[in-house]
Structures are given as structure tokens and as C-alpha cells.
């Protein structure tokens, strides 16, 4: 154990006589069911014979033993970890997915919202397992109603997660997300977890996704202990605080995550979130922190085959996995079969367009006509016509698949360009009219759709 971890551990056990803000200092353990430390491992093994995973496991588990029995996870992302996207990621090594955040109060009170987020008759397809549903809110009546509704639907799910990671202002107004961790010195979130565990904890795991508190790691560890004592079945640690978003995203604190593992990893599974851009990062995070799994959000949004051995040191940094246009086409084909707005937790064509913008971000850089037309597309067939235009333009530029890499993911990780720092000439794309004669005029009143409204900042 590191010196920092020892200090934190001592701080957790020390009674300084100033615990007035912590109800009886900790939750009464007699009310919390004992957590099976191996529940996540058992879940992964239950689905290890999935034909989509067998070749992946056969190749990479032998090559990288650290990956064996570890969760490779699609994060919960508003309007982005929708059903068709999850099914796409499961083709390329993902072995656990979270739904987008489901607003429990709206699910409880608004029928239209409920139909968008869950099909009671059909549930989620058998190919969409294992699956954890993420919920947000602090109203336990609505949370328990939502859990029981989904549990009683066809096929059920494998767990429920409480969102304590969203840093957006709307989360503060709604009493959820990262702000819930700070409300009444953590008493509110601890009480919510305790109530959920009491009501449904014997039926299904209740996990919590958290960030680091703005007051620091030591205070965070104290709160995490209270969540564990309340009966949380798993903690996913996003190694940033709620102020670290957008251009202030910064590095993920893997040291803090490592301390969580050292303190609580013998009691419940711990997962890491943040700072994952390829399989090298996955392996490094697993080795350094000792977590039970690694969750990706923004990087996997841009490249759904993130968990394959591509763009890694082993392949010289080259893209040896599927090209981005292939993934965009596969997502659209999956969305044809499983429209995200029909119980798939997505907002129809808006959700689809957002995915296309992220996956094809580099193909749209410097091609504002195409970018805006995709933002206005009203159906999948229209999007496919623009795919054809992109491929024609890439042929002219002698596009190399091996040179592909993350672009949208890097927008907050490299300096923004300005007049004194112009886009390199190789990215100053010629318009379609001067190269191959494709007309891509955009209506004068067209407004570019925001293609980055969700992702790693919104879960």
C-alpha cells in the first residue's frame, strides 16, 4: 500500500469526534445485505461463451493475460449509449454495457418518456447482455418504481447504477449526478443507496458511479466508505472532479482510483473510468490500479472497436481494426433494426446523427458542407448518400485507413486552433465542387447541430 493510501486509510478509521454531519458516522450494516464480491466475475463468466466474444478472448487473453476476467465497459452516456450503439460495441470486445442515464422521476411520471427508454413487452434483446441500467435522481419512490418496472419486463437486466458523476448544471437543479455526492455532506446519497439496497438489493446489484469530490481524495474516500457500508455492490470511479470537463478535462487521477481499490477492493468490485484511448491504456490502467474493469466513454463513442488491438504499440500505432466508415455503416444498419427511440434509450434521428458526427469527425473536418448536411439529415437513407460523398472525397485524397486515429476525442486534449495556429494544409480539404463535382449546398438558414452535447462529461 502506498504512503498516501496508508494516510487515507488512517483517516478513514480515525475518530476525530467531529462526525455531526455523518448520521451515526456510518450506516447500520445490519440493514445492508452482504455483497457477493464475485458477482461481477460470475456475470462475465456467464456470458463468456457469447460467439462475439469467443474469438476476442482466444486472441487477446493469451496475448495480454491482464485482460482475463476483466470488464471492458461502455459507459452510461445520455442519448449515446443507446441500444444500437451497445450492440455495435459488443461485436468488438465490449463485454458489459450501461444504458444511458434514465431519469427515474420522468420514467415514473411521463408515459412517453417511459416508452422511449424501455419496452415492457420486449425488454432488451438477448444480445444486449450483460446490461446495467443507470438511473438518476434522489426520489426513492421514483427510483424503486423504475427498478421494479424494468425488473418485471421481459428478460430483465443485470444491475442498476446510481448516477453520481454528471457534472452539468441541470444535475444540480435535479438533485442528481456529481452534486448529489455533496448534498448534505453526502447524507442524501448514502440514504438513497441504503433505501435501494433495502428494497431490491437481494434481487439485483445496486452500484454507484462517482467522481472525486472537489474537496479532495481524502473526503472522497470517506464518502465511498459510507456508500460501501450502505450496501453498494460496485463503485465506478471517474478519476476527475465535477469541475474537470470541457477544456478543463485534464488528466484522470489513477492514483485516487488505486487507493479506492486498496481500501475497498476486497469487499466489492471497483471499476475505473477516464483517460482511456486504446487497449494500451486499458492494460496500463488495469495493471496500475488493480481495478476489476475499465469503462470507456468518449473514446469508444468515436471508435466503437476501441477494445481491439488497434492503434496500439503492438501494431506500430496503426489502425488495424475496422475503418471508421465501416463502423458508421454498421451503426446505421443496427439502428435500422433497433431504432433507438423505440425502447432503446435514444432520441431517434438526433441520436443517430450525433453518433455519425463523432465516428466520422475526422472525415468531416474542413468539409463544412458535408458536416452541416449530416446535421440536417432526416433519415438513414439520406445519411447514406453523404457516406458515399465522403468515400469519393477520401479516394481523391488517397485516404489511408492505417493512418486513422482518434480526432473528436482529442478536441479537449490539444490546443484549439486559431488564426495564429492554422489547420495544417493537409487538413484544408478541397470542397467537393472543385474535386469531384458533388453538389452539397446547404440551405442558408441551416444551423449546425451540436454534435458533442453528451459523452464523457454527461454521465
Amino acid at each position: 500500500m502506498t504512503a498516501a493510501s496508508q494516510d487515507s486509510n488512517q483517516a478513514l478509521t480515525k475518530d476525530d469526534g467531529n462526525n455531526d454531519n455523518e448520521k451515526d458516522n456510518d450506516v447500520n450494516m445490519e440493514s445492508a445485505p452482504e455483497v457477493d464480491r464475485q458477482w461481477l466475475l460470475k456475470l462475465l463468466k456467464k456470458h463468456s461463451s457469447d460467439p462475439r466474444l469467443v474469438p476476442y478472448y482466444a486472441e487477446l487473453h493469451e496475448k495480454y493475460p491482464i485482460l482475463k476476467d476483466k470488464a471492458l465497459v461502455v459507459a452510461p452516456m445520455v442519448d449515446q449509449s443507446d441500444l444500437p450503439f451497445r450492440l455495435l460495441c459488443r461485436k468488438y470486445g465490449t463485454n458489459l454495457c450501461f444504458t444511458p442515464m434514465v431519469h427515474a422521476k420522468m420514467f415514473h411520471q411521463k408515459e412517453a418518456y417511459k416508452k422511449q427508454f424501455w419496452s415492457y413487452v420486449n425488454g432488451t434483446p438477448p444480445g444486449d447482455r450483460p446490461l446495467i441500467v443507470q438511473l438518476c435522481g434522489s426520489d426513492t419512490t421514483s427510483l424503486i418504481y423504475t427498478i421494479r418496472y424494468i425488473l418485471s419486463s421481459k428478460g430483465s437486466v443485470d444491475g442498476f447504477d446510481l448516477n453520481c458523476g454528471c457534472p452539468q448544471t441541470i444535475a444540480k437543479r435535479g438533485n442528481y449526478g456529481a452534486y448529489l455526492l455533496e448534498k448534505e455532506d453526502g447524507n442524501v446519497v448514502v440514504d438513497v443507496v441504503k433505501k435501494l439496497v433495502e428494497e431490491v438489493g437481494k434481487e439485483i446489484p445496486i452500484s454507484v458511479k462517482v467522481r472525486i469530490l472537489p474537496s479532495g481524495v481524502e473526503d472522497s474516500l470517506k464518502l465511498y466508505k459510507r456508500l460501501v457500508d450502505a450496501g453498494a455492490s460496485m463503485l465506478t470511479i471517474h478519476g476527475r472532479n465535477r469541475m474537470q470537463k470541457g477544456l478543463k478535462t485534464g488528466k484522470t487521477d489513477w492514483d485516487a482510483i488505486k487507493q479506492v481499490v486498496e481500501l475497498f477492493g476486497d469487499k466489492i468490485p471497483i471499476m475505473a473510468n477516464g483517460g482511456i484511448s486504446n487497449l494500451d491504456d486499458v492494460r496500463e490502467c488495469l495493471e496500475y490500479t488493480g481495478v476489476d474493469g475499465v469503462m470507456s466513454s468518449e473514446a469508444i463513442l468515436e471508435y466503437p472497436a476501441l477494445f481491439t488491438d488497434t492503434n496500439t504499440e503492438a501494431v506500430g500505432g496503426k489502425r488495424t481494426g475496422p475503418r471508421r466508415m465501416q463502423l458508421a455503416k454498421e451503426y446505421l444498419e443496427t439502428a435500422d433494426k433497433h431504432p433507438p427511440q423505440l425502447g432503446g434509450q435514444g432520441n431517434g434521428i438526433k441520436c443517430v446523427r450525433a453518433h455519425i458526427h463523432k465516428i466520422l469527425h475526422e472525415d468531416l473536418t474542413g468539409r463544412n458542407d458535408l458536416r452541416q448536411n449530416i446535421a440536417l439529415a432526416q433519415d438513414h437513407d439520406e445519411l447514406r448518400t453523404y457516406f458515399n460523398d465522403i468515400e469519393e472525397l477520401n479516394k481523391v485524397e488517397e485516404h489511408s485507413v492505417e493512418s486513422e486515429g482518434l480526432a473528436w476525442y482529442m478536441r479537449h486534449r490539444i490546443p484549439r486552433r486559431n488564426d495564429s495556429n492554422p489547420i495544417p494544409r493537409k487538413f484544408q480539404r478541397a470542397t467537393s465542387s472543385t474535386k469531384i463535382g458533388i453538389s452539397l449546398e446547404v440551405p442558408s438558414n441551416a444551423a449546425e447541430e451540436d454534435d458533442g452535447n453528451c459523452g464523457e462529461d454527461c454521465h
Side-chain angles (χ1 to χ4, degrees):
M1 182 179 289
T2 64
S5 299
Q6 290 174 341
D7 291 342
S8 299
N9 201 2
Q10 291 170 0
L12 287 174
T13 57
K14 180 180 179 182
D15 181 6
D16 60 6
N18 186 26
N19 293 321
D20 293 339
N21 291 325
E22 297 183 8
K23 297 182 178 180
D24 297 326
N25 190 32
D26 271 318
V27 177
N28 182 357
M29 282 299 293
E30 292 181 358
S31 63
E34 183 177 351
V35 175
D36 177 4
R37 174 60 181 82
Q38 302 302 317
W39 75 266
L40 179 61
L41 177 60
K42 291 176 182 177
L43 179 63
L44 297 177
K45 285 184 175 296
K46 177 182 176 181
H47 294 273
S48 62
S49 59
D50 185 325
R52 297 167 297 183
L53 292 173
V54 170
Y56 177 87
Y57 286 170
E59 176 188 358
L60 291 183
H61 284 187
E62 181 177 353
K63 187 175 182 181
Y64 306 121
I66 189 68
L67 297 177
K68 186 173 172 34
D69 297 331
K70 301 297 186 181
L72 303 180
V73 191
V74 169
M77 295 172 284
V78 175
D79 209 29
Q80 293 292 264
S81 58
D82 49 292
L83 172 59
F85 183 75
R86 298 194 301 266
L87 292 174
L88 174 60
C89 293
R90 291 181 190 277
K91 292 175 61 178
Y92 296 104
T94 294
N95 59 11
L96 176 63
C97 291
F98 281 58
T99 69
M101 178 186 76
V102 177
H103 195 296
K105 204 164 194 178
M106 292 182 67
F107 193 96
H108 187 191
Q109 298 177 354
K110 298 182 181 296
E111 194 64 27
Y113 182 92
K114 184 189 299 180
K115 288 181 178 178
Q116 175 184 332
F117 274 84
W118 202 260
S119 170
Y120 182 80
V121 175
N122 298 319
T124 198
D128 187 32
R129 302 292 290 275
L131 179 68
I132 294 177
V133 175
Q134 188 180 71
L135 307 176
C136 79
S138 55
D139 179 73
T140 54
T141 299
S142 295
L143 286 164
I144 292 168
Y145 169 86
T146 304
I147 290 172
R148 293 209 177 280
Y149 183 95
I150 294 175
L151 275 178
S152 62
S153 66
K154 182 178 179 181
S156 189
V157 293
D158 300 290
F160 288 90
D161 184 74
L162 186 65
N163 180 322
C164 292
C166 180
Q168 306 301 340
T169 304
I170 191 173
K172 184 176 183 179
R173 295 197 300 267
N175 286 323
Y176 64 86
Y179 299 92
L180 193 59
L181 296 174
E182 303 168 49
K183 193 171 180 65
E184 297 182 16
D185 294 319
N187 290 334
V188 173
V189 67
V190 171
D191 284 348
V192 169
V193 171
K194 179 183 177 184
K195 182 65 174 177
L196 297 183
V197 171
E198 287 176 346
E199 293 291 330
V200 298
K202 292 182 180 179
E203 303 172 51
I204 197 159
I206 301 295
S207 60
V208 189
K209 188 173 187 300
V210 300
R211 284 189 179 233
I212 297 171
L213 290 172
S215 56
V217 173
E218 185 174 313
D219 287 343
S220 301
L221 294 173
K222 291 179 181 178
L223 179 55
Y224 301 163
K225 180 182 186 301
R226 297 176 66 199
L227 294 174
V228 173
D229 290 347
S233 296
M234 179 172 69
L235 293 181
T236 300
I237 315 297
H238 187 155
R240 299 183 176 99
N241 63 45
R242 62 175 170 80
M243 279 85 76
Q244 290 180 273
K245 56 184 178 178
L247 290 175
K248 297 180 180 180
T249 296
K251 288 186 177 182
T252 306
D253 190 345
W254 284 0
D255 286 309
I257 298 174
K258 182 178 182 180
Q259 290 185 53
V260 177
V261 173
E262 291 171 340
L263 288 168
F264 313 118
D266 62 329
K267 299 177 179 67
I268 62 172
I270 307 295
M271 288 206 295
N273 177 216
I276 302 299
S277 63
N278 63 17
L279 194 64
D280 287 341
D281 291 337
V282 172
R283 291 165 47 222
E284 183 180 352
C285 182
L286 290 171
E287 291 167 355
Y288 186 80
T289 64
V291 290
D292 296 272
V294 171
M295 175 183 285
S296 176
S297 43
E298 290 201 344
I300 206 166
L301 274 182
E302 181 173 355
Y303 193 65
L306 180 80
F307 293 131
T308 60
D309 201 8
T310 182
N311 296 111
T312 59
E313 290 184 8
V315 294
K318 297 177 181 179
R319 174 145 300 170
T320 54
R323 62 193 181 108
R324 53 183 177 245
M325 180 58 74
Q326 176 186 332
L327 292 171
K329 290 179 177 179
E330 288 181 8
Y331 172 75
L332 214 55
E333 291 171 1
T334 310
D336 286 340
K337 300 173 184 176
H338 302 280
Q341 74 276 15
L342 300 181
Q345 307 89 44
N347 191 16
I349 189 64
K350 182 179 179 182
C351 168
V352 172
R353 290 189 303 236
H355 277 298
I356 299 307
H357 271 293
K358 293 174 177 68
I359 295 171
L360 299 182
H361 179 86
E362 184 63 14
D363 289 311
L364 299 175
T365 299
R367 296 170 176 168
N368 292 336
D369 46 3
L370 270 170
R371 182 182 176 88
Q372 291 189 355
N373 275 342
I374 286 177
L376 294 170
Q378 295 302 304
D379 56 50
H380 296 181
D381 287 339
E382 186 177 355
L383 286 170
R384 288 186 173 96
T385 65
Y386 301 133
F387 288 179
N388 293 335
D389 294 337
I390 290 171
E391 291 192 295
E392 288 298 318
L393 289 167
N394 283 348
K395 285 181 182 178
V396 171
E397 294 187 357
E398 298 180 345
H399 172 70
S400 167
V401 173
E402 285 189 347
S403 68
E404 290 185 357
L406 295 177
W408 178 78
Y409 174 79
M410 300 300 296
R411 73 201 186 287
H412 294 149
R413 294 162 177 83
I414 56 176
R416 287 182 179 272
R417 297 198 176 278
N418 51 42
D419 292 339
S420 61
N421 183 29
I423 297 174
R425 182 173 299 277
K426 66 178 180 178
F427 292 127
Q428 295 174 358
R429 260 79 181 255
T431 63
S432 54
S433 59
T434 62
K435 283 289 185 182
I436 58 175
I438 299 174
S439 177
L440 296 172
E441 294 183 1
V442 180
S444 59
N445 63 345
E448 183 176 354
E449 179 173 278
D450 180 6
D451 63 342
N453 60 339
C454 294
E456 192 164 292
D457 287 346
C458 296
H459 60 87

